Amino acid sequence: MIALITGITGQDGSYLTELLLSKGYTVHGIVRRSSSLERIRLSRLYEDPRIYGSRLQLHYADLTDTTTIRRIVAKVQPTEFYHLAGQSHVGLSFEIPESTCELTAMGTLRIMEILRDLPQPPRFLHASSREIFGTPTVSPQDESTAVNPNSPYGCAKAFATQMVRIYRDSHGLFFCNAICYNHESPRRGENFVTRKISLAAARICAGLQRSLTLGDLAARRDWGYAADFVDAMWRILQQSRADDYVLATGRSHSIQDLLQIAFSHVGLDWREHVNVDEKFLRPADPRGLLGNPAKARQVLGWYPSISLEDLLRMMVDEDCRSLQGVKS
Ligand SMILES: NC(=O)c1ccc[n+]([C@@H]2O[C@H](COP(=O)([O-])OP(=O)(O)OC[C@H]3O[C@@H](n4cnc5c(N)ncnc54)[C@H](OP(=O)(O)O)[C@@H]3O)[C@@H](O)[C@H]2O)c1
């Protein structure tokens, strides 16, 4: 059981690494070179000499380094390949559409081409997104909902998702899409709205910040827990047949709901601290986004383990804890 993960330093990559190590896998991760060696989400594993360097190994490559990725795949010989890397911010994709498409669309195709050439291609999981549906005309959405993206990110994910289907159907490869709705955790990047909210609640409570500025407070999403989602990704690759699955909770909440849960958890009234600025509104914000996880429930036996309320409280608690570390 040898897994190769792109995006191992990200939110999902770090949870998936922990899950696979707990199941006895040897885990290899692809990391891109940056000016900092700090990989905060993996630090616990890094510091464990029984794991890092033996059951967990990292290899340098950017998603655009096709030759290097080919070399890593040849060396590692993974039995499972989890492709999680990419420019993962929808709003930002309107500002950097070229690199978003280069990494997320073409980057995925290049990896599939490398795998197709192998005598024994590994099972392949692509982290797709509900953004492929754009503003859907049906709610909830499932695996058969029409693909109709309305952001550069969604368009790049739609290309990659369709390519996974084509490679599965045309070349008989065990390639799968996990069509993920939003999933969050204390490890979520600080430029995502859930984390902005949990961090602001913690900081305002500690007297380190006065207010928080957001965009559309009525925007609704289907938010789940990242650790649950990577468990589903693993389950997808354990099936006897390759297929695509919608991963979602089937429940939607507004940003206002998130504010209420997070701020009241630390005894604050969010109305006294939150401002709205139009510059945070998306050029095209999709409505009616709600996933139908029935197939994942039925085939994978997968159910979300915690509610959004508990998830947000966990995020706020974790942010409060890390602020105490900063203050002391
Ligand atoms: N979280 C969600 O709600 C959600 C929903 C739908 C789909 N997805 C998809 O699921 C995947 C994982 O999401 P996430 O939340 O874990 O994202 P994330 O925290 O932003 O992690 C993205 C990962 O991709 C890596 N990466 C970015 N550009 C790269 C490049 N050019 N070469 C190599 N690696 C690169 C990042 O490396 P650095 O650490 O160096 O930046 C990081 O490890 C993404 O593809 C995302 O689009 C996520």
Side-chain angles (χ1 to χ4, degrees):
M1 295 190 300
I2 302 168
L4 180 54
I5 304 175
T6 69
I8 193 167
T9 54
Q11 170 187 250
D12 293 5
S14 63
Y15 281 111
L16 181 63
T17 301
E18 289 167 12
L19 178 79
L20 295 177
L21 287 171
S22 76
K23 290 185 183 295
Y25 282 68
T26 298
V27 178
H28 294 264
I30 293 180
V31 294
R32 58 179 167 170
R33 199 258 162 199
S34 78
S35 60
S36 161
L37 276 184
E38 198 179 16
R39 301 199 177 99
I40 205 147
R41 298 180 177 110
L42 295 176
S43 57
R44 196 180 58 79
L45 301 172
Y46 253 17
E47 284 151 19
D48 189 337
R50 290 163 304 167
I51 294 179
Y52 186 61
S54 55
R55 292 183 56 221
L56 170 63
Q57 294 179 36
L58 301 181
H59 310 263
Y60 277 113
D62 191 277
L63 276 183
T64 51
D65 292 330
T66 312
T67 309
T68 312
I69 295 177
R70 188 184 294 280
R71 201 176 290 133
I72 294 168
V73 169
K75 184 176 165 198
V76 166
Q77 298 194 356
T79 51
E80 294 173 15
F81 193 120
Y82 295 87
H83 177 42
L84 311 179
Q87 193 296 96
S88 65
H89 198 281
V90 181
L92 201 55
S93 76
F94 287 93
E95 285 172 42
I96 49 168
E98 282 184 46
S99 59
T100 299
C101 291
E102 184 58 37
L103 298 174
T104 299
M106 288 306 295
T108 306
L109 175 58
R110 288 191 198 101
I111 288 174
M112 292 196 294
E113 276 291 274
I114 292 169
L115 301 184
R116 177 160 84 101
D117 286 344
L118 296 174
Q120 278 190 313
R123 294 183 168 204
F124 177 75
L125 186 291
H126 167 237
S128 177
S129 163
R130 48 87 186 162
E131 286 284 326
I132 64 172
F133 301 134
T135 301
T137 51
V138 291
S139 189
Q141 301 84 48
D142 63 21
E143 294 77 5
S144 62
T145 301
V147 170
N148 185 24
N150 59 0
S151 66
Y153 169 90
C155 204
K157 284 286 187 195
F159 172 90
T161 304
Q162 286 296 110
M163 280 300 196
V164 167
R165 291 173 179 163
I166 290 168
Y167 273 59
R168 180 170 70 223
D169 296 343
S170 308
H171 303 304
L173 293 163
F174 201 108
F175 284 11
C176 309
N177 288 301
I179 304 169
C180 300
Y181 282 64
N182 293 53
H183 44 280
E184 318 298 316
S185 74
R187 300 181 197 175
R188 187 61 146 151
E190 291 179 17
N191 56 348
F192 290 86
V193 69
T194 47
R195 190 69 200 293
K196 277 188 192 173
I197 291 173
S198 68
L199 204 49
R203 288 178 62 84
I204 292 169
C205 179
L208 298 170
Q209 182 176 327
R210 295 169 77 115
S211 62
L212 168 67
T213 305
L214 294 174
D216 182 5
L217 302 190
R220 299 184 74 85
R221 293 286 186 275
D222 179 332
W223 279 288
Y225 179 33
D228 288 339
F229 277 57
V230 301
D231 172 56
M233 291 177 193
W234 173 78
R235 287 172 191 242
I236 289 172
L237 291 196
Q238 312 314 309
Q239 302 306 305
S240 54
R241 202 171 69 84
D243 209 344
D244 298 340
Y245 295 86
V246 160
L247 303 181
T249 69
R251 294 180 65 208
S252 102
H253 291 84
S254 68
I255 304 280
Q256 224 163 291
D257 295 335
L258 301 187
L259 289 166
Q260 176 61 34
I261 299 166
F263 277 64
S264 65
H265 186 53
V266 286
L268 296 170
D269 182 348
W270 67 268
R271 287 170 198 81
E272 292 170 10
H273 302 280
V274 176
N275 310 312
V276 172
D277 188 333
E278 291 205 343
K279 85 167 184 252
F280 289 105
L281 298 180
R282 293 247 174 94
D285 195 51
R287 303 277 151 182
L289 280 173
L290 181 68
N292 177 358
K295 182 173 168 185
R297 281 186 192 148
Q298 242 165 32
V299 181
L300 308 176
W302 177 76
Y303 291 87
S305 67
I306 61 171
S307 66
L308 180 71
E309 288 79 2
D310 287 344
L311 171 60
L312 261 173
R313 288 181 197 124
M314 181 209 298
M315 291 173 68
V316 174
D317 287 343
E318 195 56 41
D319 281 328
C320 289
R321 246 193 305 277
S322 54
L323 284 181
Q324 270 161 12
V326 171
K327 281 201 298 183
S328 60

